[in-house]
Amino acid sequence: MSDIMRFRKNKRACDGGNAVELSGSSEEANEVSNSLDHEVAHLTKLRSRPHQHLRGIMPGKLRLPVSTLKMLMGRESNYSGRGRFSSADASHVLSRYLPINGPWGVDQLNSPAYVSQFSNDGLFFVAWISGIGGHIRIYNVDKGWQVEKDILVKRLSWTVTDTSLSPDQRFLAYASMSPVVHIVNAGSSTTESVANVTEIHEGLDLSVDCDDDDFGIFSVKFSTDGREIVAGSSDASIHVYDLQTNKVSLKIQAHTLDVNTVCFADETGHLIYSGSDDNLCKVWDRRCFRTKGQAAGVLMGHLEGVTFIDSRGDGRYLISNGKDQTTKLWDIRKMSSRNMFPRITNYDWDYRWMEYPAHARTSRHPNDQSLATYRDHSVLRTLIRCYFSPAYSTGQKYIYTGSSDHSVYIYDLVTGTQVAKLVHHDGPVRDCSWHPTYPMLVSSSWDGSIVRWEFPGDDQVPTLVKPRVRRRRVFY
């Protein structure tokens, strides 16, 4: 029985009212007020709060969570008058079953795992395992984590820095510390994809007007329509590659130092977010860039470089991880037209092999524009990633992040409370991914392990499962 099918079975038992709910212990809310007084707090509640008619089944207790059992009873008796759950009702139920139990093994490798991401529909999972002759593996989640495609990367410069699966899941883009982004046909019948031997890995050259011999790409993302790729590079630039015309359509000299992370803000593709070692997050509006020639806005608040950005998908809110050991929540309507605070470089500290200075943890940016700051995790050794929790199952009411202290942290977006800390790995957790529809989270670590965390159902014992590689005879 697949993990997803097992969850469907177990969830029916949970919905009967016997589920163990997460109590959510926390230390201080880390600069986040008890109730974030901002529109994002209200939007989050709207997307994860039961319908007012269902809340009415507990008169006088509207501020308390409505139990799953009472909500199901209200739905069956058509208490709301609609005969079904709204999306907010569903996310209210699902968000109470956090993926905190386990872990169960997905794979165990002899080299560090750098990148791990679910596809948009959750059917596939992509992981990058570094080392000589490193592999990108695509696992079929519904088929017991069977390896659907094993991609052997050639002519690799240092390591694969990022991967991105196209929205239709037909193509996989991967980048390294070179000017070329490679594209693999993820949907082809070739299981063992050896670069340019069993399958062509098409190269997209981004080195337009670039004389830097050390040019490398840190971040690469498909647009939501799959027609473009945006990349952030070591020459402090953002590159947009048009896959239809097969050329770079836009290059932006975006920052003063490495661009570690880029992403499209929403499905329109007009807005791009970027984060850099110059401590800044920036917003770029392609509709007016050619006339203005500068960022639409600058977001200040981090005291060290930005390692990752995730968009809420609404073209308005984003979160970022920084080497100042914080995650920050931003509203682009609060951005400035320019950087008003000079970057202060601490030449005595390097995040790759040193601990963050204790005295620096109490420092605050004098012009901090962020809505909230979350701090408990550590952003050291590598470019640690952070994300909003899924909209479908949680209403995006949480944010979660890997950590160099070998853990995964989950915070309440509104209160800042640390609601869970997942501890298992023996190395930094660079990346982690929450399944888009089920309470399942997968973390990957430098210890070579890729594991999944789930909400429990029956008495399951965490085990390490070595995935099967689907074999096909290849003629060439």
Side-chain angles (χ1 to χ4, degrees), residues 3 26 48 84 95 125 151 153 161 173 183 218 250 299 307 380:
D3 301 310
S26 169
S48 59
R84 60 180 177 82
S95 66
F125 181 81
I151 302 168
V153 177
T161 52
I183 302 289
F218 288 106
L250 180 62
L299 294 166
T307 65
L380 300 167

Side-chain angles (χ1 to χ4, degrees), residues 49 52 54-66:
R49 176 183 288 175
Q52 59 181 356
L54 284 177
R55 295 204 304 274
I57 63 180
M58 295 183 68
K61 299 182 179 181
L62 297 186
R63 293 188 177 183
L64 297 177
V66 182

Side-chain angles (χ1 to χ4, degrees), residues 181-243:
V181 174
H182 289 91
I183 302 289
V184 186
N185 188 344
S188 71
S189 60
T190 302
T191 302
E192 297 181 51
S193 178
V194 182
N196 303 326
V197 176
T198 63
E199 198 167 42
I200 297 297
H201 291 195
E202 182 181 358
L204 313 178
D205 190 355
L206 304 186
S207 58
V208 177
D209 302 325
C210 179
D211 299 324
D212 188 353
D213 294 335
D214 296 325
F215 182 98
I217 299 168
F218 288 106
S219 178
V220 61
K221 295 289 182 296
F222 273 99
S223 60
T224 54
D225 60 10
R227 297 180 180 180
E228 294 180 312
I229 284 177
V230 63
S233 63
S234 61
D235 69 344
S237 300
I238 298 172
H239 310 259
V240 178
Y241 196 96
D242 190 314
L243 296 172

Side-chain angles (χ1 to χ4, degrees), residues 11-17 54 57 66-79 85 93 97:
K11 184 176 180 300
R12 287 195 292 270
C14 295
D15 284 340
L54 284 177
I57 63 180
V66 182
S67 74
T68 300
L69 179 60
K70 290 184 180 294
M71 288 185 66
L72 287 170
M73 292 172 60
R75 186 189 66 179
E76 294 304 312
S77 60
N78 197 21
Y79 197 92
F85 276 165
V93 172
Y97 306 119

Side-chain angles (χ1 to χ4, degrees), residues 282-302:
K282 291 188 177 183
V283 182
W284 306 88
D285 191 337
R286 299 167 65 190
R287 292 166 294 188
C288 59
F289 176 77
R290 295 186 184 279
T291 55
K292 292 179 63 176
Q294 63 183 19
V298 178
L299 294 166
M300 296 171 288
H302 282 297

Side-chain angles (χ1 to χ4, degrees), residues 19 32 52-53 61 93 106 148 155 169 186 233 254 263 266-267 276 315 331 399 432 439:
V32 185
Q52 59 181 356
H53 289 158
K61 299 182 179 181
V93 172
V106 171
E148 193 78 10
R155 294 184 178 180
Q169 300 170 175
S233 63
C263 66
D266 56 24
E267 62 183 12
S276 166
D331 180 346
I399 62 173
C432 46

